[in-house]
Amino acid sequence: MKPILIKDNKSYDKSKLDAIPSLTNQVLDKTLNQLEQEGLFIFPNIKDNSDDLCGEQMILQSFNNNYYSSNVMGFLGFGEEQLFIQSRFSVVDEETNRDYFFQYLLEKVLELPNITNFDTFSSQSEQIFNLYMFLFPLYLKKAMRKGLLLY
């Protein structure tokens, strides 16, 4: 199934998300705190005192015949259904199929050097796997701070 692409802080007719009813029902009108308790992986963790993320935010809210996205970006999947929420400021380069703004945000959040060149969107179907390239250095850095595990 082809992923549905929307942008943050926008209004969408409910029919836009008709192709992903199970996913929509899982996140609709639920706060990030509720979703985290249900097992949704949220990065960065809300409990890490993120300046931009609060537990009372919702990914999707319903009102009248519309869905409203909030200030949350990322990848969501449930079964075969996928939803990608881009920044409203993002413009994907048609020639390279890359979202340079999203790459910039990830580099700033994860404190990666700006000389690092990651292909954040090499193909539509593999976007989530490319996110691992950003997460690995972060978790490696956290693990190194804790030190060696000796038995």
Side-chain angles (χ1 to χ4, degrees), residues 6 20 22 33 39 47 59 81 92 125 144:
I6 64 173
I20 54 169
S22 298
N33 282 336
K47 295 176 183 80
I59 296 173
E81 300 175 0
V92 176
S125 63
M144 289 173 34

Side-chain angles (χ1 to χ4, degrees), residues 35-120:
L35 292 170
E36 189 173 41
Q37 289 172 355
E38 293 176 9
L40 180 70
F41 172 68
I42 298 176
F43 181 81
N45 195 325
I46 296 170
K47 295 176 183 80
D48 288 343
N49 298 324
S50 173
D51 293 336
D52 300 329
L53 213 54
C54 78
E56 298 308 311
Q57 285 179 301
M58 295 183 187
I59 296 173
L60 284 176
Q61 283 184 285
S62 62
F63 184 74
N64 291 335
N65 205 27
N66 291 318
Y67 291 136
Y68 293 89
S69 60
S70 67
N71 200 31
V72 176
M73 293 177 13
F75 310 102
L76 297 170
F78 187 76
E80 294 294 315
E81 300 175 0
Q82 295 180 340
L83 175 66
F84 295 149
I85 305 173
Q86 280 186 316
S87 168
R88 62 194 174 279
F89 305 113
S90 290
V91 177
V92 176
D93 183 343
E94 296 296 326
E95 188 174 311
T96 62
N97 203 24
R98 291 179 65 187
D99 183 346
Y100 292 102
F101 184 68
F102 185 63
Q103 178 177 334
Y104 168 78
L105 289 177
L106 285 174
E107 288 173 351
K108 290 300 175 190
V109 167
L110 301 178
E111 298 175 356
L112 297 171
N114 61 4
I115 58 170
T116 309
N117 182 16
F118 290 111
D119 290 331
T120 54

